[in-house]
Amino acid sequence: MAVPGALGRARRLCHWGPAVALAVVAVCSATAMADAALWYWPLDTAGGSVNFIMLLNWTVMILYNYFSAMFVGPGYVPLGWTPEKSQDCMYLQYCKVCQSYKAPRSHHCRKCNRCVMKMDHHCPWINNCCGYQNHASFTLFLLLAPLGCIHASFIFVMTMYTQLYNRISFGWSSVKIDMSAAKRDPRPIIPFGLSAFAASLFALGLALGTTIAVGMLFIIQMKVILTNKTSIESWIEEKAKDRIQYYQTGETFIFPYDTGSKWKNFKQVFTWSGIPEGDGLDWPVRDGCHQYTLTIEQLKQKADKRVRSVRYRAIDDYSGVCCPVTKGVKTFFTTPCTEEPRIALSKGDLILATRGLKHWMYGEKILNSAADGGIRERGWFPRKCVEKCQYDSETDQPVDGEKKNR
């Protein structure tokens, strides 16, 4: 379960994601400040002072929103939660881990081991989920990080250019650039040597890479926010269209939480108080929908997945490692690029496969509920470790999302 207090915050930091993210912020910020203060723009000038204050401002705002997203968290469905009306339980899924029903827009996170309100995804960079309470701060971090990196990149480029201007001829005699910062007197106390050049170049690469990668994530997040969706709900909507087309039911699925106004959708996440609208359990819906429109569709998709699933039997042991060496070269190099777990297999185990790749499959191990306490084991496993159960009446169903031949 989620660990509260200082211990929980310390545990959030003890992960490769925050370590890498904070290292990138530290390297880019520290190098940019050093370059600006020592070599590019003197702090005793008005422009240099403003430039340095802006660098500090970017760093503070980035770290504030980063730690807010990490430590505030997404908000969790209360343990043992049930809807006010008992008859509404039929529209909801039940979580055996949290011993409660899953509220609309909530999903159980295997990493956090809790049902998360309005869950968007579990982000390894903050080692926490992005959801109802921290969606705004997470998105602001995705915006501020590229803006700060763009400013830092400008500092790195100008520092290297101004310091090398008098040493290397670039053939730019026709370019009219004010090089007064490079020719200032007295000369810098610390010379711009090879190590400083290498550090600036390395930081420039980090800054440009962060700008592109994080900037793309920001665009994706803004798309779902302006339609009042989450990444998971966008996927549910796509699967709803696929289900309707597959069975030719003639029904129409309308996403219930899109107000039809991008500004109203935006205000549900970003508020002046910093506290998102609502309580994370009940949500306003558009005309023609009700509070459980989405959860009913999820139940239909869950039932459909069971119908399309295929039963397999393990014919070889698999330890559950990410990249198994003994299962073949193709299996080793095509391991799924996801944080979803792998499940260990022993000969004779039964697995219900729901999706798959060419050399890997994803499914749920069929366990003895009495002996295993009803705990579900789901994850990826190599195809060559299993064979299709010929005696199973459900084995005529396709597994890799293939359509039936009519």
Side-chain angles (χ1 to χ4, degrees):
M1 295 295 178
V3 181
L7 179 60
R9 294 176 180 176
R11 290 183 60 181
R12 290 289 179 196
L13 288 169
C14 298
H15 185 262
W16 65 265
V20 173
L22 292 175
V24 171
V25 173
V27 169
C28 292
S29 298
T31 308
M33 292 178 190
D35 282 3
L38 295 176
W39 298 299
Y40 171 55
W41 211 335
L43 293 181
D44 55 359
T45 63
S49 299
V50 172
N51 176 66
F52 194 81
I53 292 173
M54 287 181 63
L55 286 174
L56 284 175
N57 187 52
W58 289 125
T59 303
V60 171
M61 290 194 299
I62 289 170
L63 291 177
Y64 173 79
N65 285 281
Y66 178 83
F67 287 121
S68 294
M70 177 188 291
F71 294 143
V72 171
Y76 303 108
V77 178
L79 297 175
W81 180 85
T82 57
E84 293 182 1
K85 299 179 181 179
S86 58
Q87 61 267 30
D88 291 341
C89 294
M90 62 183 294
Y91 303 127
L92 300 171
Q93 299 182 65
Y94 186 77
C95 179
K96 294 181 180 179
V97 177
C98 298
Q99 297 293 304
S100 63
Y101 286 91
K102 296 181 181 179
R105 312 193 78 176
S106 69
H107 302 273
H108 186 84
C109 175
R110 288 190 296 268
K111 299 287 186 181
C112 299
N113 206 29
R114 285 291 299 272
C115 285
V116 176
M117 294 190 294
K118 196 189 174 186
M119 178 177 175
D120 186 88
H121 68 289
H122 183 90
C123 178
W125 306 112
I126 63 173
N127 194 23
N128 208 339
C129 280
C130 173
Y132 164 67
Q133 290 185 349
N134 64 350
H135 204 172
S137 55
F138 179 79
T139 307
L140 286 173
F141 165 72
L142 297 182
L143 170 65
L144 294 170
L147 293 179
C149 286
I150 291 173
H151 186 188
S153 298
F154 173 78
I155 299 297
F156 300 143
V157 171
M158 292 306 298
T159 298
M160 290 185 288
Y161 177 71
T162 55
Q163 293 302 309
L164 297 176
Y165 180 77
N166 292 327
R167 306 182 189 183
I168 302 175
S169 174
F170 291 98
W172 292 351
S173 57
S174 61
V175 179
K176 302 298 182 182
I177 299 179
D178 181 12
M179 301 305 298
S180 58
K183 299 177 179 179
R184 65 177 183 248
D185 189 30
R187 293 182 178 275
I189 299 175
I190 302 176
F192 187 79
L194 183 60
S195 59
F197 176 81
S200 299
L201 191 61
F202 176 72
L204 176 63
L206 280 181
L208 293 178
T210 302
T211 300
I212 296 172
V214 179
M216 291 177 63
L217 292 177
F218 170 74
I219 293 173
I220 294 173
Q221 284 298 312
M222 285 306 302
K223 284 183 177 180
V224 297
I225 288 174
L226 293 178
T227 54
N228 204 3
K229 300 174 185 175
T230 64
S231 300
I232 294 177
E233 289 168 351
S234 297
W235 176 235
I236 292 173
E237 186 177 30
E238 290 299 319
K239 289 194 293 183
K241 296 176 182 178
D242 179 71
R243 181 186 63 80
I244 294 171
Q245 183 179 8
Y246 182 85
Y247 290 106
Q248 299 294 318
T249 60
E251 60 184 307
T252 302
F253 175 75
I254 300 175
F255 185 75
Y257 305 115
D258 186 357
T259 63
S261 167
K262 293 183 178 180
W263 175 241
K264 290 181 179 179
N265 293 337
F266 180 85
K267 289 196 299 181
Q268 282 201 9
V269 177
F270 296 95
T271 60
W272 288 111
S273 64
I275 302 174
E277 290 187 359
D279 60 0
L281 300 173
D282 296 314
W283 301 91
V285 296
R286 63 189 302 172
D287 295 337
C289 301
H290 59 83
Q291 192 65 224
Y292 302 109
T293 296
L294 186 65
T295 60
I296 292 173
E297 175 59 32
Q298 289 178 260
L299 291 173
K300 290 180 180 179
Q301 292 181 13
K302 186 176 181 180
D304 180 43
K305 185 169 70 172
R306 286 285 180 179
V307 171
R308 298 199 201 190
S309 63
V310 181
R311 190 184 296 265
Y312 283 79
R313 182 184 299 276
I315 58 174
D316 193 9
D317 293 338
Y318 167 56
S319 63
V321 297
C322 183
C323 300
V325 179
T326 60
K327 305 304 178 184
V329 176
K330 293 182 179 179
T331 301
F332 178 85
F333 285 105
T334 59
T335 183
C337 297
T338 174
E339 282 201 338
E340 290 178 312
R342 275 63 171 169
I343 53 174
L345 300 177
S346 300
K347 289 183 180 179
D349 285 345
L350 294 177
I351 309 100
L352 211 56
T354 55
R355 52 190 166 102
L357 304 173
K358 187 174 182 179
H359 300 288
W360 288 82
M361 301 183 74
Y362 185 92
E364 178 180 344
K365 188 186 293 187
I366 302 175
L367 302 173
N368 185 336
S369 297
D372 300 290
I375 299 175
R376 302 169 64 183
E377 288 190 33
R378 293 182 294 177
W380 291 93
F381 54 90
R383 275 186 182 269
K384 65 186 309 177
C385 293
V386 297
E387 67 176 3
K388 199 174 182 180
C389 294
Q390 300 300 326
Y391 60 84
D392 189 356
S393 60
E394 294 182 353
T395 54
D396 292 332
Q397 303 297 334
V399 62
D400 292 327
E402 304 142 341
K403 304 296 183 182
K404 293 180 181 178
N405 294 323
R406 296 186 180 274

